[in-house]
Amino acid sequence: MTGRVVVFAPSPELTVTVEELDGAPDIHVHAGGQGVWQSRMIESLGADVVLCAALGGETGQVLRHLIGVGLKAREVAARNGGYVHDRRDGGRDQVVRMPADALTRHELDDLYEMTLVEALGAGVAVLSGPAEQDEPVPDSVYERLAKDLGGNGCRVVVDLSGGRLAAALRGGPEVVKVSHTELVSDGYAGSDDLEELARGCRKIAECGARAVVVSRAAEDTLALLDGDFYLVSVPELSPVDTRGGGDSMTAGLAAGLAQGLSLEEALKLGAAAGAVNITRHGLGTGSGDVVRELTERVTLKPWETS
């Protein structure tokens, strides 16, 4: 079963990364941002994907040619953001960053309507955010989308933090993916202790979510599925770049739901996708064949709170 997923990504970014190849600068130009990375992985896993976004300015013109997945775009006056990173010393030094512009009222209305139509037709939607410091759309958009889509039969997966997460929870999504650091910084858990994270999961699940998934960097993922807790273990792999693992996990969850998998099986697919992503330089990348092979080695162990 192929399945179809719509990813709401209001303002993708233009990314320029400078690396070193054989002692000389090596420049990479890509479309980036959470929704773009998620969409790439969803497509790699064999599901059809449509990215709903606003594109504007010179950065938006370039992004249209770089996104590389199914795209429904609203042409806007607001510029998409972008950044230049220098990785020649092995780190990720930000040279310059241009924030995204806020959408006008009419631009926002059109983007919302376009996303609503596409997602209702697909049946599964991922609500992703722009860069953390950018505010192209108000937080209330996430509440409205979660409520309007979920109330009309669309399965909503959210991967957000801060005010955007709080707004989306008021809309009642089915699946919530957060990191352990976000759970603490957003005030749902008092620390990264497992018992505290479990309490945070239960707080989030009060919105009606069937699944709350907490990625914990190199530690086992904590998941609350239909009221039961699990620890999710993946085979140990050598990391190249840990950024993007959480986004790939969200992509796997959404792709699995679109392909008719149970929550448990979709979680395994997501965990495998996240594990594969950190072995690569590109975010939201990885072969679907490798992910599926690794999925067979993912384990879900029931866990009881004290």
Side-chain angles (χ1 to χ4, degrees):
M1 181 176 180
T2 300
R4 186 162 173 252
V5 180
V6 165
V7 177
F8 175 67
S11 189
E13 290 187 297
L14 180 64
T15 74
V16 180
T17 305
V18 184
E19 297 187 348
E20 188 170 293
L21 180 64
D22 298 328
D26 187 30
I27 297 176
H28 300 263
V29 181
H30 295 289
Q34 185 183 40
V36 172
W37 299 322
Q38 291 166 342
S39 296
R40 287 177 188 156
M41 180 57 76
I42 290 169
E43 187 173 71
S44 292
L45 296 175
D48 293 333
V49 64
V50 177
L51 180 73
C52 291
L55 298 179
E58 291 185 11
T59 44
Q61 292 177 25
V62 176
L63 282 167
R64 177 175 286 279
H65 300 285
L66 295 177
I67 286 176
V69 298
L71 174 67
K72 292 289 287 189
R74 167 57 156 95
E75 296 290 344
V76 297
R79 301 172 305 168
N80 292 84
Y83 62 74
V84 178
H85 282 180
D86 190 337
R87 296 190 58 183
R88 284 175 291 179
D89 64 356
R92 189 180 287 273
D93 300 322
Q94 183 168 286
V95 178
V96 65
R97 185 177 187 283
M98 184 182 79
D101 293 333
L103 302 187
T104 67
R105 178 168 61 88
H106 293 300
E107 291 170 345
L108 178 59
D109 285 347
D110 288 349
L111 177 61
Y112 187 91
E113 182 180 275
M114 179 178 71
T115 303
L116 196 65
V117 170
E118 291 293 328
L120 289 177
V124 176
V126 176
L127 305 187
S128 69
E132 185 176 348
Q133 57 270 58
D134 289 0
E135 298 182 4
V137 299
D139 295 346
S140 59
V141 168
Y142 292 97
E143 177 180 0
R144 292 170 56 211
L145 276 174
K147 182 178 180 179
D148 291 350
L149 291 173
N152 287 282
C154 183
R155 308 181 76 175
V156 178
V157 180
V158 302
D159 187 351
L160 302 162
S161 61
R164 295 167 189 152
L165 174 60
L169 294 183
R170 291 192 293 271
E174 180 174 343
V175 178
V176 180
K177 156 65 181 65
V178 294
S179 71
H180 70 290
T181 55
E182 291 165 344
L183 205 64
V184 174
S185 63
D186 289 345
Y188 297 101
S191 71
D192 60 4
D193 175 79
L194 261 180
E195 292 288 345
E196 274 296 312
L197 295 178
R199 278 190 279 274
C201 287
R202 291 204 183 279
K203 288 181 183 177
I204 287 180
E206 290 174 359
C207 75
R210 291 185 58 199
V212 181
V213 180
V214 183
S215 57
R216 301 168 58 228
E219 302 296 325
D220 288 350
T221 293
L222 176 66
L224 177 63
L225 305 182
D226 289 327
D228 296 321
F229 281 104
Y230 297 88
L231 289 175
V232 187
S233 301
V234 298
E236 186 172 340
L237 300 173
S238 300
V240 172
D241 188 347
T242 57
R243 291 179 72 242
D247 293 330
S248 289
M249 177 180 285
T250 301
L253 280 161
L257 293 178
Q259 293 168 339
L261 300 184
S262 67
L263 277 175
E264 291 81 3
E265 293 302 316
L267 177 56
K268 286 183 179 181
L269 184 66
V276 168
N277 190 102
I278 67 172
T279 68
R280 300 173 59 89
H281 288 91
L283 278 64
T285 62
S287 162
D289 290 339
V290 174
V291 173
R292 290 189 188 87
E293 182 65 33
L294 197 63
T295 299
E296 301 300 320
R297 294 165 170 78
V298 175
T299 61
L300 269 63
K301 179 181 179 182
W303 179 76
E304 296 288 340
T305 59
S306 61

